[in-house]
Amino acid sequence: MGQRLDTLSFLSDYGTDDEFVGVVHSVVASLAPHVRIVDVTHGIAPHDVRAGGLALARSAQYLCPGVVLAVVDPGVGTARRGVAVEVGGGQSVLVGPDNGLLAPAVAMVGGADRAVSLTDPAWHLPSQGTTFDGRDVFAPVASHLACGVDLAELGESIDPNGLLPAVVSAAAVESDGLHAEVWWIDRFGNVQLNAGPEDLDELAGDSSVDRFRVRIADRVLPARRVSAFDEVDPGGLGLLVDSAGLVSLVMCRTSAAADLGLGPSDPVVVEAADGPAGGATTAVSIGVRPESETPRGES
């Protein structure tokens, strides 16, 4: 038997209009009544594996030890694998589809110790269909893990380093500035980029430089590096290191995303105010950003 786990953290693209989340809760409650369920979010856009993986990675280091159940699964019913991945020396296990959803979070917490493909139907619920693995496969597996069933009993052992990687973009300093992409827009309209403060430092050549320009399509806007939302001048644009340690475009008490007309995956170029820096930087990847304190106003 494995270690009994008391917390299940649940993330999905199920939303709350249908019965999907409640049914999964009930399956877990029936098989592992001792478990406390934490709903991380069910507001991931339908089928958006990339957004789900980034949300899980942002959350990973703050989730209670236990089981993490993540379901954003447009390939449900196909040959894509369902997996359970042990991390932290057995403190936590991530359960979900092997489609790039879990890989960023696994990297964020230091990599996987063991992993299995969920090939043993003895641990699943019987079902007439193949379209609700959250209920029929992942929820029961997560529940059995919480009750102390060892990972090795749930299916075929697989290479823990062989998870399907997430498809995430890389920022780079080029001759005309820092080329970045919008990774996430929170409910406050803050626009997270796939760039860190070290990228701004390289661009400007000095960490004390706080004046930049932001190029969005054919618009070029002045921007200032700030450490709080209210440091941004009314109507101005700020570059703020957010709670994930990444650079976000922010405005004072208003939505930067709405004002700038930005959405996920949109390109953004940041220039030093005195002209773009030359050179190139190594592509950034999720899981290597430094931790930072959480600023006010983020979800």
Side-chain angles (χ1 to χ4, degrees), residues 94-237:
L94 288 80
V95 177
D98 182 23
N99 59 3
L101 177 65
L102 306 182
V106 171
M108 180 64 77
V109 297
D113 303 318
R114 295 188 294 162
V116 298
S117 179
L118 304 177
T119 53
D120 188 346
W123 304 102
H124 308 166
L125 295 183
S127 175
Q128 299 297 316
T130 60
T131 64
F132 198 176
D133 279 359
R135 176 195 67 193
D136 300 331
V137 178
F138 301 132
V141 163
S143 301
H144 291 305
L145 285 164
C147 290
V149 173
D150 187 74
L151 190 76
E153 297 186 43
L154 299 171
E156 176 185 353
S157 178
I158 59 175
D159 180 358
N161 298 312
L163 295 180
L164 190 70
V167 178
V168 291
S169 53
V173 176
E174 300 180 4
S175 60
D176 61 342
L178 172 63
H179 286 250
E181 179 181 293
V182 177
W183 262 7
W184 177 48
I185 295 171
D186 68 15
R187 74 182 303 268
F188 299 98
N190 302 314
V191 180
Q192 185 187 77
L193 305 178
N194 62 337
E198 67 275 15
D199 295 310
L200 294 183
D201 296 345
E202 179 177 354
L203 176 69
D206 186 340
S207 61
S208 66
V209 172
D210 66 355
R211 300 289 176 175
F212 296 86
R213 294 191 297 266
V214 174
R215 179 154 38 97
I216 302 167
D218 59 353
R219 301 171 65 192
V220 179
L221 304 168
R224 184 166 63 91
R225 182 158 23 184
V226 296
S227 58
F229 298 100
D230 274 3
E231 289 182 1
V232 184
D233 296 330
L237 182 63

Side-chain angles (χ1 to χ4, degrees), residues 5-21:
L5 302 170
D6 295 326
T7 301
L8 185 148
S9 300
F10 183 20
L11 174 148
S12 78
D13 62 348
Y14 289 159
T16 55
D17 291 337
D18 300 303
E19 71 275 15
F20 305 138
V21 170

Side-chain angles (χ1 to χ4, degrees), residues 53-54 57-58 103-105 107-108 166 168-169 183 246 284-289:
L54 291 172
R58 289 192 301 270
M108 180 64 77
V168 291
S169 53
W183 262 7
L246 296 173
V284 300
S285 59
I286 192 76
V288 297
R289 293 299 183 190

